[in-house]
Amino acid sequence: MSLVSAASLRLVGPGGATPADPTRRSPDELRALAEQAARDLEGAPALEIARWAAQTFGERFCVTSSMADAVLAHLVSRVAPGVDVVFLDTGLHFPETLRVRDEVARTLPVNVRSIRPRLTVGQQDGQYGPRLFNKSPDDCCQLRKVEPLERALTGYDAWAAGLRRDESPTRANTPVVTFDARRGKVKVNPIAAWTQREVDAYIARFNVPVNELFKQGYGSIGCWPCTRRTKAGEDARAGRWAMFEKTECGLHV
């Protein structure tokens, strides 16, 4: 049985329930938009996909970023200056990750929103026992990532993520636009078709902030307790939850 009770995961915004807004699109309308866009935008340049999202959803569109790099935030800011960039501050990030977040907030025309879990790490230890990430990483991710994202996305109809098809087998079929039925929102993946070479070229061209841990042998960067350096021949995400049969934190499944 899960260590995390259902009661502790009540998904509400910081101020309680959000009043109904008659101008908002219904889930059926959002689904139809996503399905049409998925057909129309497959194969389109990443900037065009980002522009479609910004123009279609306006202030109801945001970017999510793990701050492994600022490629997605930079890309979207070119077509939507001032866009909200949601960062999930789990309390377990590497210092290098937090430095990228701070640099993005300081240098890019975006509004960085750092979203924290309801419980501090110490409070979580007291309620569920120490080092929950070692005993039940799914529950730890639920508390420190999934629930905060649900809360952060309140008020948005769509968000952009930096998923790429070449990152791992589990992401090989990532669509450029999809409808997230669980959240009732449109999910946009502008750089889904990019290769690592294209990412590196973008970083070099625009001098985009990048996490220093990549230079130290990390292929994918998450919370420090659940991230190790990758070995030669491993896919980029092999260093995540290496002691478990787990490849995703739950944000994208």
Side-chain angles (χ1 to χ4, degrees):
M1 180 178 294
S2 170
L3 296 173
V4 179
S5 68
S8 70
L9 299 177
R10 192 164 50 93
L11 305 183
V12 298
T18 302
D21 183 346
T23 67
R24 298 189 69 168
R25 295 180 174 97
S26 69
D28 286 343
E29 291 172 317
L30 292 173
R31 181 191 296 273
L33 268 173
E35 290 175 350
Q36 185 65 48
R39 293 189 292 269
D40 294 344
L41 294 172
E42 178 61 38
L47 199 63
E48 182 179 331
I49 297 169
R51 181 178 290 109
W52 169 83
Q55 292 177 346
T56 301
F57 301 105
E59 292 183 354
R60 298 193 190 281
F61 171 63
C62 70
V63 174
T64 57
S65 177
S66 66
M67 299 300 171
D69 60 55
V71 168
L72 184 63
H74 184 281
L75 179 83
V76 176
S77 75
R78 292 167 60 190
V79 295
V83 67
D84 287 348
V85 174
V86 172
F87 171 70
L88 302 178
D89 187 355
T90 65
L92 294 169
H93 282 300
F94 290 96
E96 291 85 350
T97 301
L98 299 180
R99 283 200 286 271
V100 174
R101 176 201 60 184
D102 295 345
E103 186 176 357
V104 168
R106 186 176 66 253
T107 63
L108 295 185
V110 299
N111 176 41
V112 174
R113 297 181 59 212
S114 285
I115 309 299
R116 295 179 178 176
R118 296 188 184 279
L119 301 177
T120 66
V121 174
Q123 289 169 334
Q124 179 175 295
D125 288 349
Q127 189 165 339
Y128 299 103
R131 302 180 70 83
L132 181 62
F133 43 78
N134 281 346
K135 297 181 295 184
S136 183
D138 285 341
D139 284 334
C140 190
C141 286
Q142 177 70 39
L143 286 165
R144 311 208 72 76
K145 289 186 175 181
V146 178
E147 188 279 334
L149 179 66
E150 307 287 354
R151 186 161 23 95
L153 291 179
T154 300
Y156 300 109
D157 287 340
W159 86 102
L163 302 184
R164 299 201 331 269
R165 295 166 183 167
D166 73 340
E167 290 179 303
S168 70
T170 60
R171 297 183 174 184
N173 297 315
T174 298
V176 294
V177 182
T178 189
F179 179 71
D180 184 336
R182 181 162 65 92
R183 296 183 175 100
K185 299 178 188 294
V186 176
K187 185 176 181 181
V188 185
N189 302 300
I191 63 172
W194 279 17
T195 64
Q196 185 62 53
R197 179 175 295 182
E198 288 173 297
V199 171
D200 292 343
Y202 190 94
I203 289 169
R205 177 183 177 187
F206 293 103
N207 194 28
V208 173
V210 178
N211 199 306
E212 287 292 320
L213 292 174
F214 285 122
K215 297 179 181 178
Q216 300 176 29
Y218 290 85
S220 177
I221 301 164
C223 295
W224 67 261
C226 302
T227 306
R228 66 159 172 80
R229 292 174 174 83
T230 48
K231 301 173 183 177
E234 290 183 323
D235 71 62
R237 292 184 62 80
R240 305 288 293 276
W241 308 284
M243 300 300 292
F244 298 90
E245 292 184 2
K246 176 178 170 68
T247 58
E248 297 286 349
C249 60
L251 298 179
H252 305 296
V253 295

